[in-house]
Amino acid sequence: MKEFTPEKMKEIYERRRSDLAAFMVENKITAVVISDNEDHRDANLRYFCGHVSDGILIVKNDASCVLIPWDINLAQLNAFADKIIPFTRYERSTVRAVKAVLTTMADKRKNVVDVSPDTSYIDFLKFVDALPDWDVRCRKDSVHDFATAMRAIKDSYEIECTKEAARIGDKIIDGIEQRIRKGKIKTETDVALFIESECRKYGCERTGFDTLAAGPSRSFAIHCFPNYTAGQWPGEGLSILDFGVVYKGYTSDTTLTVAKGKLSKEQEELIALVEKAAKEGLKYYKKGITIRAAAAKVDEIFAKGKRSMPHGLGHGIGLQIHEYPFVRQRAEADSVFLPGMIVTLEPGLYDKDLGGVRLENDVLITEEGNEVITHSRIIRL
């Protein structure tokens, strides 16, 4: 992976906060409070300063910021902020911390602070009571929503991190295929623990989500429950494996299907439909093409095969496993693919008697078209 020096990272975070601040100035917002904790995770914290989790970031409309971390040592190691103040200084009270910092940011004009739309009503009232000189806003179409839209278009650092996660995921897929052919992976638990071990070996922070490993008796479920068991994997028939790995905060997301033994005509038809949907759907993952068009094309393919897909065609990935945009026919009519988006393409079909087939890869939208950065596949045994 391309190296990013601390100086370059500082520049990246400052540029992100500058873009955020420009939106705030345009909308007459003085400051925004971004809070990540056990009650509510907010990836915007890491996006705007690099601190990995558990903290409060307050950004002013001049792009200056203050970070109040739960773990000061981790913050000093990872964060890029103008000022870092330990949470303990405010007796671990979010309201006290926000009040203290906003007092230093207030100006003579009317002061407006934006808090997350996910803030509970009780916490919102606490902010209102503590900040009588501020107009506390908690609403949709907020600074937080603008930040979500920002994160849909990846910058060079995000693209490099996601590509590295994809590369590691590909190596794991290759390892899985080798081991199942040698009989070294026999159960759902075997493959899930292999992924966990391998991703750590390659320097990943964690898996992107709990691995979903479903043998033939459970592959009919979109997301099997439990996520994996001691059951046979892969077994005779259709088995599914859905997993992702996280590198420097950014996740991959892939699904492969293992077809073992002699399949029925109907099972072969499921595979053929999914492979066709993946191939044809990819043609629509291009700059300027509406997101609805991609979903409509795949739905059309399945309808001709007298099947239907019970979930969306894909979604953005990044600091979170599900990010904007969401590829489905219910997407906004004017939503289009844009260069810098990294979006999954995951057609799937599921039948209670036949089992399930899903094929998922991650696609980077480019100026010229697209780049498939993962290489999941149908594995036949």
Side-chain angles (χ1 to χ4, degrees):
M1 175 179 162
K2 177 183 175 182
E3 287 297 322
F4 288 82
T5 64
E7 292 74 20
K8 180 63 176 177
M9 293 307 303
K10 181 174 184 291
E11 177 186 321
I12 288 171
Y13 288 116
E14 287 178 345
R15 183 174 65 248
R16 293 175 185 175
R17 293 196 296 267
S18 179
D19 290 343
L20 188 72
F23 174 85
M24 293 164 65
V25 169
E26 181 181 349
N27 289 274
K28 297 181 173 58
I29 297 170
T30 314
V32 59
V33 177
I34 298 169
S35 181
D36 176 88
N37 54 53
E38 290 181 344
D39 294 330
H40 171 66
R41 292 298 176 195
D42 191 339
N44 288 327
L45 178 79
R46 190 168 188 175
Y47 182 74
F48 286 110
C49 74
H51 185 50
V52 293
S53 69
D54 295 293
I56 304 164
L57 181 69
I58 302 176
V59 183
K60 193 181 178 185
N61 57 15
D62 62 0
S64 63
C65 70
V66 176
L67 173 65
I68 308 161
W70 178 71
D71 190 321
I72 187 68
N73 295 324
L74 276 180
Q76 290 172 339
L77 183 65
N78 296 293
F80 293 83
D82 297 316
K83 193 172 184 179
I84 302 176
I85 306 172
F87 197 28
T88 52
R89 183 173 299 181
Y90 307 107
E91 299 179 4
R92 300 191 185 280
S93 166
T94 298
V95 172
R96 290 181 185 177
V98 170
K99 180 178 180 179
V101 172
L102 287 183
T103 298
T104 68
M105 292 184 170
D107 54 39
K108 294 181 181 179
R109 298 169 295 176
K110 184 177 182 180
N111 295 294
V112 178
V113 60
D114 218 346
V115 298
S116 171
D118 293 322
T119 302
S120 71
Y121 183 60
I122 292 174
D123 287 339
F124 170 71
L125 292 180
K126 289 179 181 178
F127 282 125
V128 171
D129 289 342
L131 301 166
D133 298 327
W134 287 76
D135 178 5
V136 182
R137 296 182 182 177
C138 178
R139 58 183 183 176
K140 290 186 176 181
D141 299 322
S142 64
V143 182
H144 294 79
D145 295 315
F146 177 75
T148 296
M150 281 183 64
R151 285 174 30 218
I153 310 298
K154 272 53 181 180
D155 58 35
S156 60
Y157 175 71
E158 295 179 287
I159 291 172
E160 287 292 326
C161 289
T162 309
K163 282 187 172 182
E164 183 66 7
R167 185 190 70 82
I168 293 168
D170 281 351
K171 289 179 72 70
I172 292 173
I173 290 172
D174 290 343
I176 289 169
E177 181 170 3
Q178 291 170 8
R179 281 163 177 75
I180 58 178
R181 290 190 183 280
K182 293 178 180 179
K184 293 184 177 180
I185 288 177
K186 298 179 180 180
T187 69
E188 296 171 355
T189 298
D190 287 343
V191 71
L193 295 184
F194 176 75
I195 292 167
E196 181 70 37
S197 175
E198 289 296 286
C199 84
R200 306 286 178 165
K201 183 175 79 175
Y202 289 116
C204 291
E205 297 176 3
R206 53 183 172 83
T207 55
F209 49 93
D210 285 342
T211 295
L212 296 159
S217 67
R218 306 186 328 122
S219 63
F220 63 84
I222 302 169
H223 284 172
C224 57
F225 181 84
N227 288 16
Y228 55 88
T229 71
Q232 187 179 12
W233 192 97
E236 294 288 325
L238 300 171
S239 298
I240 283 179
L241 177 67
D242 187 349
F243 79 99
V245 298
V246 177
Y247 186 83
K248 294 188 181 297
Y250 291 85
T251 189
S252 64
D253 187 5
T254 54
T255 305
L256 59 87
T257 297
V258 181
K260 185 177 180 180
K262 183 174 177 57
L263 303 183
S264 68
K265 177 184 176 182
E266 291 80 9
Q267 288 174 319
E268 291 288 1
E269 288 174 351
L270 289 183
I271 292 175
L273 280 169
V274 168
E275 289 185 316
K276 182 178 181 180
K279 180 180 179 181
E280 294 301 314
L282 182 61
K283 297 176 181 178
Y284 289 77
Y285 276 53
K286 293 181 180 179
K287 172 185 174 182
I289 294 181
T290 63
I291 289 171
R292 280 185 178 184
K297 180 60 180 179
V298 168
D299 287 347
E300 176 189 325
I301 290 169
F302 287 153
K304 287 181 178 179
K306 298 181 179 180
R307 294 281 179 178
S308 63
M309 181 169 64
H311 55 74
L313 180 59
H315 54 85
I317 56 173
L319 289 170
Q320 293 177 296
I321 189 60
H322 295 116
E323 296 194 349
Y324 182 85
F326 294 92
V327 187
R328 56 196 179 194
Q329 291 208 55
R330 292 185 290 110
E332 297 85 350
D334 58 350
S335 293
V336 298
F337 290 111
L338 297 171
M341 288 180 172
I342 303 180
V343 193
T344 68
L345 172 60
E346 49 181 299
L349 293 174
Y350 315 88
D351 187 286
K352 186 67 170 62
D353 298 319
L354 304 175
V357 180
R358 184 162 67 248
L359 182 57
E360 176 182 20
N361 279 301
D362 304 335
V363 183
L364 169 64
I365 309 301
T366 66
E367 287 288 347
E368 298 75 25
N370 59 55
E371 178 185 354
V372 182
I373 63 173
T374 57
H375 299 88
S376 186
R377 52 194 178 269
I378 307 294
I379 298 174
R380 289 183 176 271
L381 300 176

